[in-house]
Amino acid sequence: MADRHYQGNVSLCLRASIESHREILEGEGYMATRRIERRLENLEGEQKVLLEVLTSVKSDVKEVHRGSTDGQQPIEATMTKDMIRVFELLKTNGDGLQFGDLVEQLDLGMHKVQPALGRLTDHGIVIRTGEAGQRYTLAGFSPESHLGHGP
């Protein structure tokens, strides 16, 4: 080390080492250690805040699954067979279907398809698309993301 950094002067190398060690023990090292301790304390505080937020979100998610405060269950828990059939059919048709096509392909009467479709639309699961809104499709459905993947 003396050859590499102090032109071979071993005495100068030892003095520098001792001085560096003294600085670490008397202050600079202590200050660095205190800075690290403060950072850790700040991280601990941030971690507590994040844990509280996550606990709150988890509680909210559980509440949604139990139903809203007015006693209603989430739509998924109250879907009728007809609603499920409409949903499943629309899931396989990325471009959406017209009302008449839904009635025909489901082999259900208009009096069964209309309320099921209306309820799915009211809850934002199904949306009207196409010119003048004559087609129905799943909300947020992208046909490109389901090409070749099946239902």
Side-chain angles (χ1 to χ4, degrees), residues 126-142:
V126 173
I127 58 171
R128 294 179 75 145
T129 60
E131 292 180 27
Q134 73 253 27
R135 300 181 80 76
Y136 295 90
T137 188
L138 295 180
F141 185 82
S142 171

Side-chain angles (χ1 to χ4, degrees), residues 2-19:
D3 287 338
R4 200 172 35 201
H5 299 288
Y6 298 97
Q7 297 83 29
N9 189 334
V10 175
S11 178
L12 188 60
C13 179
L14 286 172
R15 282 188 203 128
S17 296
I18 291 169
E19 180 64 24

